[in-house]
Amino acid sequence: MRGGTSKCWIFDARDLPPGATEAGGRLEEVLASAFGARDPRQIDGVGGATSTTSKAAIVRPSTEDGVDVEYLFAQVGIGTPGVEWGSNCGNCATAVGLYALLNGLAPATAPHSTVVMRNRNTGVRLSATVPTPHGTVPELGAATVPGSLATGVPVGLGFRHPSGASTGALLPTGAPVDTLDGGIPATLVDAGAPAVLADAAALGATGLEHPEAFAALVPALATLRRAAALRMGLATDRDPVSHAIPKVGVVAPPGDYLTTLGDHVKGSDYDVAVRMVSMHAPHPAIGLTSAVAVAAAVLTPGTIPAQLAENRLSASVIRLGTPAGVVTAEAETDSAGTVRLITLHRAARRIATAQLLVPALLQESV
Amino acid sequence: MRGGTSKCWIFDARDLPPGATEAGGRLEEVLASAFGARDPRQIDGVGGATSTTSKAAIVRPSTEDGVDVEYLFAQVGIGTPGVEWGSNCGNCATAVGLYALLNGLAPATAPHSTVVMRNRNTGVRLSATVPTPHGTVPELGAATVPGSLATGVPVGLGFRHPSGASTGALLPTGAPVDTLDGGIPATLVDAGAPAVLADAAALGATGLEHPEAFAALVPALATLRRAAALRMGLATDRDPVSHAIPKVGVVAPPGDYLTTLGDHVKGSDYDVAVRMVSMHAPHPAIGLTSAVAVAAAVLTPGTIPAQLAENRLSASVIRLGTPAGVVTAEAETDSAGTVRLITLHRAARRIATAQLLVPALLQESV
């Protein structure tokens, strides 16, 4: 399935071999083999050899009250037979929502259906709302997302009570701004996903860079990610370095720039500029969990994104300037200012239904 | 399916919609839509967004005596909703052979099965020989090819009477060496596919370059490709420029180099160095039809490859030094020296069986 700007292979947990439904171990071996992960070009499997096309989700009905399905997200290795299990993927979540409706894992109602999902990697609860006229789930739609010309079924992806799922607090260190190694100011936030949002200017960047130019900052941001992981309590010194957790990137004041598709974006069209890293490379747009993190930070006084977006916000709509274009988040807050729901308007589509021939499993059955 | 270093979606012609089994028109629209070709990342379809992973073949039983199946090869566009129909792909041919056996389009015998195939793009006849113990077609095998660590079912890909299929002659201009624009000496040969093999030294290259370094030569080679297309009678001045026909690259004397996987290759391990272009980029290994062209040129006195490989050849085995490693071709010639058969030892595997949801078709049925 395509979800937004990601391609994601979605598995029904009941179709997987025994013992291959939990993170790590057997499931990791099965996915790495199915994707051809060991090869940097993923030529011997269904992977697409880029971070946005080497993704999987394992879905199953939930026994939790008010939750339709739960899913485990897998960022499958490229050139290495491993899987990163620590993060969620919002683009895949939109695909999981549509998948659940198409495959009867959640009931379709009229005129809309809302699938409530629990992400098993992070504990975050999300909802996907899809127009289903007469209770019929569409295969096609006219919705688009920044970064792709392709159309799909509109999916409203809602992050409910998105704060603190990984660390217990919206601001894990208690501070709206921390100073990381080398004196770099950054906001450490946990909403949608844990994220480090560094001040672009402190790194000598504008935050308006094309991905190719932004690539030069990736090594420095990888270092900040590790430092922030320790500060946020996501890892200890003894843990291996994660390239997926927390999300890391820079934020900057709005300015004019050209999108990767060549469209002009004016600084007046959005509230805060964002350039994120995906694994080892510039993200071509923004991960949706990162978008939730930035939006929640914008709504939290004193954070760097809030300072940058000051006086620009029209109530509950937060507009993020990403390399692919402007991503808009809608927020609902309670009277205390706590974020109750952040919704992103996305598009998804079923690309294929397939049976995968997995060498690691076939070898055993010989 | 994977065939060698390519990934190829293979369709049974009988599964395609009416009118979508011939090159161009309706089939082009269906494939471009299925692959998400319009998007440079092919995010909305099954394409892999690289020249070696944006390929399809349409297979059907043949009514021709001695031929089991015929297939049409499609090089699907990346960032453009078109398809190049003018060339064959040897890697996909190995996959087509295995596909034909797995899907009963050709009979499996014991202990080996040979599928005879007619490529509809070029008219070339090929054979694929697969070990099928007890008449059983394997899903897995231990064979590998240069450029990938992945294992697969061994497939001996034979090009029978490979010369002149596109132009009527092994040397379409009658000369073993032509001088192209800018005084560049090149051998123009038609075997397996029409190909232009330029003298690397005349272009300031060693022919031992890594693909990244070789990329600098691609624009000059694209110009040579066009000039050669006119000389070989493959196009006229009024035809649009093809990025697929003829194949183009450089040849050079053997020398030591590092493969893309980091292995050392000695000059004494092979007969001629080759660096080919695939569409707009350096080929990571070599197209098999190009390998046939180089091998046939090596066996033809006076050509540049023959001059370079002089005194190195051990009878009928031609060893080509490619960026991915050494590709070995076995040749059978008749008493007049005419090439009867060139065989390449390859590996293929079925990765998935799938039903594709094609927007261009779904839109019509709404």
Side-chain angles (χ1 to χ4, degrees), chain B:
Chain B
M1 309 218 24
R2 177 174 67 91
T5 50
S6 289
K7 209 155 30 170
C8 191
W9 285 89
I10 302 184
F11 299 82
D12 189 313
R14 296 165 293 189
D15 294 333
L16 289 167
T21 55
E22 301 304 313
R26 181 99 169 118
L27 177 57
E28 184 155 328
E29 188 192 355
V30 168
L31 289 176
S33 181
F35 274 61
R38 195 169 52 141
D39 176 348
R41 297 193 298 131
Q42 294 188 334
I43 203 82
D44 197 43
V46 297
T50 68
S51 66
T52 51
T53 59
S54 187
K55 296 173 177 237
I58 292 85
V59 184
R60 64 185 184 200
S62 174
T63 55
E64 184 183 347
D65 264 3
V67 176
D68 296 299
V69 296
E70 49 186 43
Y71 72 94
L72 190 61
F73 170 67
Q75 180 72 51
V76 181
I78 301 170
T80 172
V83 172
E84 288 261 6
W85 295 104
S87 61
N88 184 19
C89 170
N91 273 320
C92 291
T94 65
V96 167
L98 183 57
Y99 173 95
L101 291 170
L102 285 166
N103 291 279
L105 293 174
T109 51
H112 298 276
S113 302
T114 293
V115 182
V116 179
M117 305 175 279
R118 177 73 71 189
N119 172 247
R120 295 176 59 209
N121 308 80
T122 58
V124 166
R125 198 162 76 147
L126 309 93
S127 62
T129 301
V130 177
T132 45
H134 314 294
T136 304
V137 187
E139 292 281 0
L140 294 175
T144 59
V145 299
S148 174
L149 298 170
T151 57
V153 176
V155 180
L157 185 68
F159 291 75
R160 290 162 188 271
H161 305 294
S163 304
S166 295
T167 66
L170 172 67
L171 299 174
T173 66
V177 181
D178 284 87
T179 304
L180 298 178
D181 306 1
I184 308 295
T187 287
L188 278 46
V189 61
D190 176 10
V196 200
L197 306 171
D199 179 15
L203 286 155
T206 63
L208 307 177
E209 284 85 1
H210 241 258
E212 302 93 82
F214 184 60
L217 283 178
V218 169
L221 289 169
T223 305
L224 290 187
R225 171 160 49 199
R226 176 59 171 180
L230 303 178
R231 292 261 192 117
M232 297 168 89
L234 294 164
T236 69
D237 270 334
R238 268 172 285 177
D239 292 324
V241 172
S242 166
H243 303 294
I245 315 162
K247 309 287 185 189
V248 65
V250 302
V251 286
D256 299 354
Y257 67 95
L258 271 184
T259 70
T260 45
L261 293 178
D263 296 325
H264 288 269
V265 174
K266 290 190 176 172
S268 54
D269 292 340
Y270 66 102
D271 305 310
V272 59
V274 194
R275 295 295 180 271
M276 298 299 294
V277 172
S278 176
M279 303 297 285
H280 304 281
H283 197 294
I286 188 169
L288 299 192
T289 57
S290 299
V292 169
V294 180
V298 164
L299 295 168
T300 305
T303 67
I304 298 173
Q307 293 172 40
L308 294 170
E310 214 169 12
N311 302 323
R312 302 187 64 98
L313 285 185
S314 59
S316 58
V317 175
I318 301 126
R319 300 166 302 169
L320 311 178
T322 83
V326 175
V327 170
T328 300
E330 285 176 28
E332 284 178 30
T333 50
D334 63 19
S335 55
T338 303
V339 176
R340 254 201 281 219
L341 176 68
I342 290 178
T343 302
L344 299 159
H345 295 285
R346 308 297 294 174
R349 185 175 88 76
R350 177 151 69 167
I351 293 172
T353 59
Q355 288 196 293
L356 309 192
L357 292 124
V358 181
L361 297 173
L362 292 167
Q363 267 147 12
E364 290 165 12
S365 66
V366 169

Side-chain angles (χ1 to χ4, degrees), chain A residues 2 7 44-45 349 353 355, chain B residues 2 7 44-45 349 355:
Chain A
R2 178 176 65 93
K7 212 157 23 173
D44 197 43
R349 184 175 89 75
T353 59
Q355 288 196 294
Chain B
R2 177 174 67 91
K7 209 155 30 170
D44 197 43
R349 185 175 88 76
Q355 288 196 293

